[in-house]
């Protein structure tokens, strides 16, 4: 995994040097450049002292102090360039001019300030070069170039001392900002990917919970229905065994069939878990679980209205389980009652009604279910 911006900042803090330098190698580079610049300005201070009539040691000290200003180029590049422009008439600080303009162009200083200062350095260099070159040409009587020579050479000298440094600084600054932008974008994308991974894990956990709930509901429906019928037949078997052995044998066989059916349905659901395929509905919406309850002795009549059509699997599954649960409830709470199952295929829904007559204890009930073609359960009354 790549390091984020925070990680890099934490790692970078261990390599910080002193004051405004971020790395120790930056300190070494600037100190070295400042020493070279101070040495250059000190040597040029000798000629400056002779031309101005001041003592040579004063000129040398002045040059050393002026050249050492390059040490603060990273923190105050504008100040370095201003000092360089001020030293231009003294013909000192050429290295400081090159490094100062480069640092200014590569820094975060507004471009308009960079253009103004670079223009001032260009004009200053042109003027000093023009004056010095004109004096040299005038001192050489045997050298008589045209009037174009001094302005052209002065312009070339001024552009050569300022333009390359400014252009290189602009390129390095733009490249540095581009790399920082790409690094920030990479950090942002990494954070977004981490967030998406967390959300995907949450969705996967939610899906697993939903799937466990659905499987538990299906297993409950299968086991509750089959086991309820098995309990009823087992009780009947116990009651009729002494009186009617043949009927007891039939009831025992029916209990075995129901147990095998329950095991078959459980195996199908476990097979779905292993293969990952969709669980098919045990019966279409036009069919209802009547065979097993009729074998259990219930009197059930089925009536169907409308044209049978295909429904989504979840609607068919729900329809089958609802009717199955209703018939199981009749078995448990209204033993011996006659039951009517009515199924109606309408334009946008399938409606089911399970109604039982009086049981041995006189209880009667009615359950009505309507399922839409696209939803699960529309209403229960």
């Amino acid at each position: 995994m790549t390091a984020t911006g925070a990680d890099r900042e934490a790692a970078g803090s261990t390599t910080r040097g002193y004051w405004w330098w971020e790395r120790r190698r930056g300190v070494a580079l600037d100190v070295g450049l400042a020493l070279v610049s101070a040495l250059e300005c000190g040597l040029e201070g000798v000629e400056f002292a002779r031309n101005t009539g001041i003592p040579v040691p004063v000129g040398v000290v002045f040059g050393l102090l002026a050249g050492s200003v390059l040490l603060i180029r990273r923190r105050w590049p504008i100040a370095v360039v201003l000092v360089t422009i001020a030293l231009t008439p003294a013909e000192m600080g050429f290295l400081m001019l090159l490094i100062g303009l480069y640092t200014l162009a590569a820094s975060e200083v507004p471009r308009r300030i960079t253009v103004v200062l670079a223009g001032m350095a260009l004009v200053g260099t042109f003027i000093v070069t023009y004056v010095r070159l004109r004096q040299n040409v005038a001192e050489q009587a045997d050298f008589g170039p045209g009037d174009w020579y001094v302005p052209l050479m002065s312009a070339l000298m001024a552009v050569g001392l300022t333009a390359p440094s400014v252009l290189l600084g602009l390129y390095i600054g733009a490249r540095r900002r581009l790399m920082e932008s790409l690094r920030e974008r990479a950090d942002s994308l990494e954070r977004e990917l981490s967030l998406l991974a967390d959300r995907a894990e949450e969705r996967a956990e939610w899906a697993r919970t939903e799937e466990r709930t659905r499987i538990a509901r299906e297993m409950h429906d299968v086991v509750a229905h089959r086991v309820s019928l098995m309990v009823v037949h087992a009780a009947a078997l116990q009651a009729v065994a002494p009186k009617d052995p043949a009927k007891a044998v039939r009831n025992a066989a029916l209990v075995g069939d129901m147990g095998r059916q329950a095991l078959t349905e459980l195996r199908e659901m476990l097979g779905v878990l292993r293969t990952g395929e969709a669980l098919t509905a045990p019966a279409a919406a036009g069919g209802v679980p009547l065979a097993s309850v009729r074998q259990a002795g219930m009197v059930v009549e089925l009536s169907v209205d409308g044209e049978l059509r295909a429904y989504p699997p979840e609607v068919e599954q729900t329809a089958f389980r609802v009717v199955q649960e209703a018939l199981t409830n009749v078995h448990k709470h209204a033993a011996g009652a006659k039951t009517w199952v009515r199924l109606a295929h309408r334009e946008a829904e399938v409606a089911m009604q399970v109604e039982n007559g009086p049981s041995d204890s006189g209880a009667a009930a009615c359950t009505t279910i309507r399922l839409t073609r696209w939803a699960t359960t529309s209403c229960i009354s």
Side-chain angles (χ1 to χ4, degrees), residues 5-15:
D7 298 333
R8 279 190 289 269
E9 290 180 0
S13 62
T14 60
T15 61

Side-chain angles (χ1 to χ4, degrees), residues 59-380:
V60 173
V61 172
F62 174 75
L64 292 174
L65 294 176
S68 62
V69 174
L70 195 60
L71 187 67
I72 62 173
R73 70 182 185 94
R74 295 178 189 266
R75 185 65 179 272
W76 294 290
I78 296 178
V80 174
V81 175
L82 288 175
V83 172
T84 302
I85 295 173
L87 292 175
T88 302
E91 300 182 21
M92 299 172 59
F94 293 103
L95 176 63
M96 188 163 59
L97 174 65
L98 298 176
I99 302 300
L101 289 176
Y102 162 79
T103 305
L104 179 67
S107 66
E108 300 297 330
V109 175
R111 289 290 167 259
R112 60 180 182 275
I113 298 179
T114 302
V115 171
V116 171
L117 293 179
M120 293 173 60
L122 176 66
V123 173
T125 304
F126 174 80
I127 293 175
V128 172
T129 305
Y130 181 86
V131 172
R132 176 62 64 182
L133 190 59
R134 190 176 183 85
Q135 291 176 352
N136 293 337
V137 171
E139 292 175 357
Q140 297 179 5
D142 57 343
F143 183 69
D147 296 337
W148 56 268
Y149 177 76
V150 173
L152 178 61
M153 296 304 297
S154 300
L156 291 177
M157 181 67 69
V159 172
L161 289 175
T162 57
S165 299
V166 173
L167 294 178
L168 180 61
L170 291 175
Y171 167 74
I172 296 298
R175 182 175 179 273
R176 183 184 301 139
R177 286 186 290 273
L178 176 61
M179 295 301 295
E180 291 177 355
S181 175
L182 293 177
R183 187 179 299 111
E184 291 177 357
R185 185 175 300 179
D187 293 340
S188 176
L189 290 176
E190 184 175 354
R191 288 191 294 270
E192 291 180 2
L193 289 176
S194 178
L195 182 60
L196 290 176
D198 294 339
R199 291 180 177 176
E201 182 64 25
E202 292 177 359
R203 287 195 296 268
E205 182 63 27
W206 176 83
R208 286 192 292 267
T209 302
E210 289 293 317
E211 186 65 13
R212 284 194 294 267
T213 303
R214 185 186 67 83
I215 293 172
R217 185 169 55 250
E218 290 292 328
M219 295 182 69
H220 169 267
D221 293 339
V222 171
V223 173
H225 177 71
R226 299 297 181 186
V227 172
S228 296
L229 294 179
M230 292 170 64
V231 170
V232 172
H233 282 283
L237 177 62
Q238 184 179 7
V240 302
K243 303 177 182 179
D244 191 349
K247 186 175 182 179
V249 171
R250 290 193 301 270
N251 288 341
L254 188 56
V255 170
D257 292 338
M258 292 180 182
R260 284 188 291 272
Q261 291 175 5
L263 290 175
T264 300
E265 293 187 15
L266 289 175
R267 290 193 191 98
E268 291 177 356
M269 282 186 287
L270 294 177
V272 169
L273 293 179
R274 287 193 296 268
T275 61
E277 298 177 353
L279 184 61
T280 58
V288 289
L290 300 182
S292 59
V293 295
R294 283 174 174 168
Q295 291 177 354
M298 287 184 61
V299 179
V300 183
E301 292 184 3
L302 172 66
S303 62
V304 180
D305 296 330
E307 183 180 356
L308 178 63
R309 65 176 68 92
Y311 293 95
E314 61 270 16
V315 175
E316 296 185 355
Q317 181 79 13
T318 303
F320 183 90
R321 295 304 182 196
V322 166
V323 175
Q324 185 183 61
E325 185 68 19
L327 294 177
T328 302
N329 291 336
V330 173
H331 237 308
K332 294 166 60 176
H333 305 293
K338 184 176 181 180
T339 307
W340 295 269
V341 178
R342 298 181 178 87
L343 186 65
H345 299 281
R346 298 171 183 171
E347 181 177 356
E349 66 180 15
V350 55
M352 294 156 292
Q353 182 179 32
V354 180
E355 180 180 1
N356 64 278
S359 64
D360 296 339
S361 60
C366 174
T367 300
T368 303
I369 308 293
R370 292 195 302 274
L371 301 177
T372 64
R373 297 184 63 185
W374 311 116
T376 305
T377 302
S378 175
C379 68
I380 300 177

Side-chain angles (χ1 to χ4, degrees), residues 18 20-38 67-75 99 102-103:
Y18 308 95
W20 54 82
W21 287 284
E22 295 182 356
R23 296 179 178 85
R24 293 184 178 88
R25 64 181 182 182
V27 179
L29 176 62
D30 288 356
V31 170
L33 291 175
L35 290 175
V36 175
S37 177
S68 62
V69 174
L70 195 60
L71 187 67
I72 62 173
R73 70 182 185 94
R74 295 178 189 266
R75 185 65 179 272
I99 302 300
Y102 162 79
T103 305

